[in-house]
Amino acid sequence: MSKHIGNQTIKFDLPPSIIETASIVGPKEGKGPLARYFDTILHDPLWGEKSWEKAESKLVNKSIEKVIEKANITPEDIQYIFAGDLLNQLTASTFGIRNYDIPFFGLFGACSTMAEGMMLGAMTIDGGFADYVIAEASSHFCSSEKQFRFPLELGTQRPLTASWTVTGSGAVIIGKNNNPPYITYITTGKIVDLGIKDPMNMGAAMAPAAADTIVTHFKDTGRTPNDYDLIITGDLGYVGKELALELIKKYNYDIENIFSDCGIEIFDAQTQDTHAGGSGCGCSAVTFCGYLYKEMKNNKWKRILFIPTGALMSPGSTQQGETIPGIAHAVVIENQLG
Amino acid sequence: MDKIQNMKNEYQQMVKKTSPNSNLLRDSVRAFWVGGTICAIGQLITNIVKSFGYSKDEASMIATIILVFLGILLTGLDIYDSIGKYAGAGTIVPITGFANSMVSPAIEYKKEGYVFGVGARMFLIAGPVIVYGTITSVIVGIIHYFI
């Protein structure tokens, strides 16, 4: 029987297990509401390195090291790494894992990368192509500011719709069907672009993609919001979340009571001055690897829909007046099967 | 095609409605008092320098140099960006803002070396100001010549 259902969804016959997760975050994230869920909190965003880029690669390297150590296996047991970041040519990831002797797939899905890695990883496991794979994603506030916005020391004001790139890396090991939690369904997103041009309002650019993927997921699987304990997007922030809710309502689904966003959870907007919320590949990655995974292990939720969102732009495309295409991928994580 | 365009227009209206705007009055007040204070400090320096017997032109030149130095110093000490975050245009418009816009990329791109890092990227933000400032001064000069 085909595992592909509806238009964009895959239902796994033998859902792969999320064996273990690891998360490392920067000092600001370590002062946020989710601090107690993270494995390592840095005191210095440079982490003893000479550049922000090197620091981000170290995040990648150490989170992978940590997750392998926590799972009590060896790097030789891992058949593939699926990883990505926001830096040009994925240097944070490639430089970070160059000393591991593990086959590597580099991914760019902007801030949706964590889901992309988990989806491809789960498919690889379900397809019988590997016993263990790692999905990893990272971002660093300072390297992102440098590449996408302004030098750190420039005295500028951020608009209220702007988000704050999370410094952090999250890594998961996905393996064959074993203990919960499991990845049971994935709904791969399409690129959706409703003409938003403002790179300081990425929540607005990504909200239509998130809404599209969530609605498609319900249609493909026949499930409804009632089937989930939590529906959590990656980094829509306050503005994007509001917009996504409104868009989803148009399709007669009401998810308001169970809907949240990693970018909203990770910072305290009142005291941490993060405006629209957290963003970046690291935002959904560390929120999943820390908060969501651990609370699923505690059975706080039995079934969640995790939807990392990405704004697929570059500084050059923005300067050329291009609009910002958005993408969102949905991953269903459940504690019980059948 | 029209349907898609309508959807886009409708969504952009939605975004406009949902996105919070900056507090224009508060930001203006802050820009005014901080920017004004920087100018007052400049005037104070000018007056003090003049009291040492320098001419008005010499005194303004010295005041400019001191303000630029202060802008650079506060940028290097990781203070100017915080003032800038508070004051916005109040710290961008005065000459201290120009100093900040040169030095902040110089610090950021030091890792890329002194030639293509510091040297080339230093003008990342100030470059357009210099280019269009020079063009404007030429135009004003020509107008001045004929009037």
Side-chain angles (χ1 to χ4, degrees):
Chain A
M1 208 180 88
S2 171
K3 295 173 188 175
H4 197 272
I5 60 171
N7 289 327
Q8 292 162 233
T9 304
I10 286 172
K11 178 180 193 285
F12 292 112
D13 283 343
L14 211 54
S17 290
I18 301 177
I19 308 279
E20 194 50 88
T21 66
S23 54
I24 305 177
V25 297
K28 193 180 178 83
E29 294 69 22
K31 292 190 186 86
L34 303 183
R36 67 196 166 97
Y37 294 100
F38 302 126
D39 294 312
T40 309
I41 294 171
L42 306 181
H43 300 292
D44 164 26
L46 211 47
W47 208 0
E49 294 293 326
K50 286 208 174 89
S51 69
W52 308 124
E53 292 80 2
K54 280 191 163 71
E56 188 175 341
S57 288
K58 191 170 176 181
L59 283 172
V60 175
N61 187 287
K62 294 292 174 191
S63 65
I64 290 175
E65 185 182 283
K66 185 101 190 157
V67 78
I68 293 174
E69 179 197 308
K70 280 177 75 180
N72 213 0
I73 54 177
T74 64
E76 289 74 41
D77 294 322
I78 308 291
Q79 273 111 357
Y80 295 104
I81 295 179
F82 297 86
D85 58 86
L86 293 174
L87 299 188
N88 291 333
Q89 287 79 40
L90 297 185
T91 49
S93 306
T94 50
F95 290 19
I97 63 170
R98 63 182 156 189
N99 67 339
Y100 291 112
D101 232 5
I102 304 172
F104 163 68
F105 287 106
L107 309 175
F108 184 80
C111 313
S112 73
T113 304
M114 194 60 194
E116 209 178 332
M118 287 169 71
M119 293 193 307
L120 292 169
M123 283 159 76
T124 306
I125 297 289
D126 187 63
F129 302 111
D131 296 321
Y132 294 106
V133 302
I134 285 180
E136 186 275 344
S138 67
S139 55
H140 193 300
F141 174 76
C142 304
S143 62
S144 289
E145 287 293 305
K146 183 175 172 181
Q147 180 172 304
F148 289 96
R149 298 186 185 106
F150 296 117
L152 289 178
E153 299 299 335
L154 187 72
T156 54
Q157 283 176 332
R158 311 159 65 80
L160 294 174
T161 52
S163 51
W164 188 280
T165 308
V166 165
T167 299
S169 163
V172 303
I173 293 181
I174 303 168
K176 285 184 173 161
N177 186 286
N178 190 343
N179 292 322
Y182 308 100
I183 298 177
T184 52
Y185 291 83
I186 55 171
T187 302
T188 307
K190 295 178 299 197
I191 290 176
V192 180
D193 186 342
L194 288 189
I196 299 302
K197 287 186 174 176
D198 183 3
M200 293 294 193
N201 193 354
M202 290 195 293
M206 299 185 291
D212 185 74
T213 301
I214 292 171
V215 170
T216 305
H217 176 78
F218 290 145
K219 285 183 180 164
D220 284 353
T221 57
R223 286 185 170 178
T224 66
N226 293 334
D227 290 310
Y228 290 97
D229 301 319
L230 174 71
I231 295 177
I232 185 161
T233 45
D235 55 355
L236 292 183
Y238 292 94
V239 180
K241 185 189 164 197
E242 215 45 53
L243 290 165
L245 262 180
E246 217 169 309
L247 291 171
I248 292 167
K249 265 191 192 140
K250 288 186 181 171
Y251 293 90
N252 294 320
Y253 291 107
D254 185 9
I255 62 168
E256 193 162 357
N257 295 329
I258 46 164
F259 188 34
S260 189
D261 181 72
C262 298
I264 294 175
E265 299 284 346
I266 195 165
F267 292 122
D268 181 338
Q270 302 303 320
T271 59
Q272 294 194 291
D273 193 31
T274 45
H275 295 196
S279 66
C281 303
C283 181
S284 53
V286 300
T287 305
F288 177 78
C289 293
Y291 178 50
L292 300 177
Y293 182 76
K294 288 179 184 170
E295 287 294 5
M296 281 213 72
K297 280 277 187 195
N298 293 341
N299 250 325
K300 180 174 179 180
W301 308 293
K302 291 191 170 57
R303 188 188 276 169
I304 68 170
L305 187 61
F306 174 53
I307 313 122
T309 40
L312 303 168
M313 41 70 128
S314 76
S317 72
T318 304
Q319 283 167 357
Q320 290 179 11
E322 280 282 359
T323 54
I324 304 172
I327 194 155
H329 302 298
V331 181
V332 178
I333 299 125
E334 303 188 39
N335 274 342
Q336 279 160 351
L337 292 177
Chain B
M1 206 58 209
D2 272 355
K3 207 180 148 200
I4 296 173
Q5 198 52 49
N6 280 343
M7 210 166 88
K8 284 186 178 177
N9 291 343
E10 198 186 313
Y11 181 65
Q12 278 156 24
Q13 288 308 314
M14 238 171 94
V15 171
K16 237 183 226 165
K17 226 175 63 196
T18 314
S19 303
N21 288 318
S22 302
N23 187 334
L24 202 62
L25 181 69
R26 191 197 65 186
D27 288 351
S28 303
V29 169
R30 287 176 173 183
F32 181 77
W33 88 256
V34 177
T37 306
I38 294 173
C39 297
I41 293 170
Q43 189 59 50
L44 186 71
I45 297 170
T46 312
N47 288 0
I48 292 170
V49 173
K50 267 205 292 194
S51 71
F52 284 98
Y54 290 94
S55 74
K56 188 174 167 255
D57 282 353
E58 286 167 340
S60 346
M61 182 68 81
I62 293 168
T64 305
I65 293 168
I66 293 173
L67 283 177
V68 166
F69 170 76
L70 289 176
I72 293 171
L73 185 71
L74 291 174
T75 303
L77 294 175
D78 190 25
I79 296 170
Y80 202 87
D81 61 324
S82 309
I83 308 173
K85 188 179 173 349
Y86 173 84
T91 50
I92 294 172
V93 178
I95 192 118
T96 48
F98 187 75
N100 171 251
S101 77
M102 296 273 291
V103 175
S104 56
I107 296 171
E108 194 73 274
Y109 290 97
K110 190 165 167 269
K111 304 289 176 300
E112 281 75 13
Y114 282 100
V115 178
F116 292 110
V118 176
R121 305 286 189 128
M122 212 170 181
F123 298 92
L124 197 66
I125 293 143
V129 182
I130 296 171
V131 171
Y132 295 109
T134 310
I135 293 173
T136 310
S137 71
V138 169
I139 294 169
V140 171
I142 293 169
I143 295 170
H144 179 75
Y145 178 80
F146 286 109
I147 294 176

